[in-house]
């Protein structure tokens, strides 16, 4: 497969709904999700690697994203060691 046709194939697959698209066996799909709102987001503080808990809105955001990804069968889930990202990942995989 040429470099150009490979790019076109990836671009065309990106526009199709994940619920209706069957990927070829030699492909995988990544879902990148940012953590829900935190207390420091509300206070407009830079968090960096410091940890700030999710607000109730952040928990609700993660639950809403979990519903939109409800049909996805995740082979693996990765997050940083921060509690806000781990809590978001837990909600996404358990809701």
């Amino acid at each position: 497969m040429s470099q150009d046709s490979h790019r076109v194939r990836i671009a065309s697959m990106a526009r199709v709904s994940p619920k209706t698209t069957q990927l070829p066996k030699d492909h995988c799909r990544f879902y990148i999700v940012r953590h829900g709102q935190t207390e420091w987001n509300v206070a407009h503080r830079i968090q960096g690697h410091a940890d700030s808990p999710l607000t109730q809105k952040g928990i609700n955001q993660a639950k809403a994203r979990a519903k939109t990804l409800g049909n996805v069968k995740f082979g693996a889930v990765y997050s940083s060691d921060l509690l806000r990202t781990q809590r978001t990942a837990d909600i996404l995989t358990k809701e």
Side-chain angles (χ1 to χ4, degrees):
M1 179 181 297
S2 74
Q3 191 85 11
D4 289 333
S5 65
H6 183 66
R7 282 191 200 117
V8 170
R9 186 173 178 192
I10 291 172
S12 66
M13 289 172 55
R15 290 189 298 264
V16 181
S17 168
K19 294 179 182 176
T20 59
T21 303
Q22 185 69 28
L23 289 176
K25 289 184 180 187
D26 61 341
H27 287 69
C28 64
R29 179 172 281 137
F30 288 88
Y31 294 87
I32 300 173
V33 178
R34 187 176 188 272
H35 60 78
Q37 181 189 67
T38 67
E39 292 177 4
W40 285 16
N41 292 146
V42 174
H44 302 287
R45 291 181 62 184
I46 296 174
Q47 296 175 103
H49 201 71
D51 219 350
S52 174
L54 294 177
T55 62
Q56 187 59 51
K57 180 178 180 179
I59 292 168
N60 292 339
Q61 289 170 332
K63 288 179 178 181
R65 178 60 58 214
K67 285 183 182 178
T68 64
L69 296 174
N71 293 334
V72 176
K73 303 290 187 241
F74 292 105
V77 176
Y78 300 95
S79 77
S80 77
D81 59 341
L82 298 172
L83 293 177
R84 65 181 178 257
T85 62
Q86 291 177 4
R87 177 73 176 117
T88 300
D90 285 344
I91 292 169
L92 288 173
T93 57
K94 293 179 181 163
E95 292 293 320

